[in-house]
Amino acid sequence: MDIQLKRGLLDVCVLKAIKDAPSYGYQIIKDLRPYVELSESTLYTILKRLETAEMLTVRTAEHGGRLRKYYSITDAGLLRIAEFREEWNEIMSIYRFIVKEDTQDE
């Protein structure tokens, strides 16, 4: 898959994983596991990028004697999810075109 396309999809997946409630790294990976395999290093790169873009905020809290970072979505993050849903219609239209071409060639 094209790296830029995959990057955009993973960003939206992470935003969706924290949309309803703040979460932390390991939990985000677990929540996404049924849909996409994501390594810790990839996740933390995504989280940093989304924080820089102000699509999420981070707070640190103690849990079990250790500090844990909790990530929460911002209005900009919610807007990105909404934009993605609109973009998805165009992506699916392109997909149908490509599949149609393949079907006609057979």
Side-chain angles (χ1 to χ4, degrees):
M1 177 182 292
D2 176 72
I3 191 71
Q4 292 295 80
L5 177 59
K6 187 171 186 177
R7 178 188 212 181
L9 290 172
L10 292 176
D11 286 1
V12 174
C13 287
V14 170
L15 290 169
K16 176 66 176 158
I18 64 171
K19 180 178 178 274
D20 296 327
S23 192
Y24 56 96
Y26 180 69
Q27 185 62 50
I28 294 169
I29 289 172
K30 280 179 41 179
D31 291 343
L32 292 178
R33 190 168 290 138
Y35 310 102
V36 62
E37 196 66 31
L38 199 60
S39 70
E40 282 186 45
S41 61
T42 299
L43 173 64
Y44 288 107
T45 299
I46 292 167
L47 290 168
K48 186 65 180 164
R49 182 171 55 245
L50 293 172
E51 180 184 8
T52 300
E54 299 181 347
M55 292 187 198
L56 58 80
T57 59
V58 184
R59 73 173 173 82
T60 304
E62 188 174 329
H63 177 80
R66 298 178 58 190
L67 291 179
R68 179 184 280 174
K69 288 185 177 181
Y70 287 88
Y71 301 89
S72 300
I73 196 164
T74 64
D75 288 341
L78 293 171
L79 179 61
R80 179 63 197 116
I81 291 172
E83 290 169 347
F84 175 79
R85 287 183 174 146
E86 290 178 20
E87 292 165 1
W88 188 250
N89 292 327
E90 184 178 359
I91 292 168
M92 288 307 297
S93 178
I94 293 167
Y95 172 78
R96 285 189 294 277
F97 171 75
I98 293 168
V99 170
K100 176 181 162 194
E101 291 290 313
D102 288 346
T103 304
Q104 289 178 355
D105 291 343
E106 291 177 1

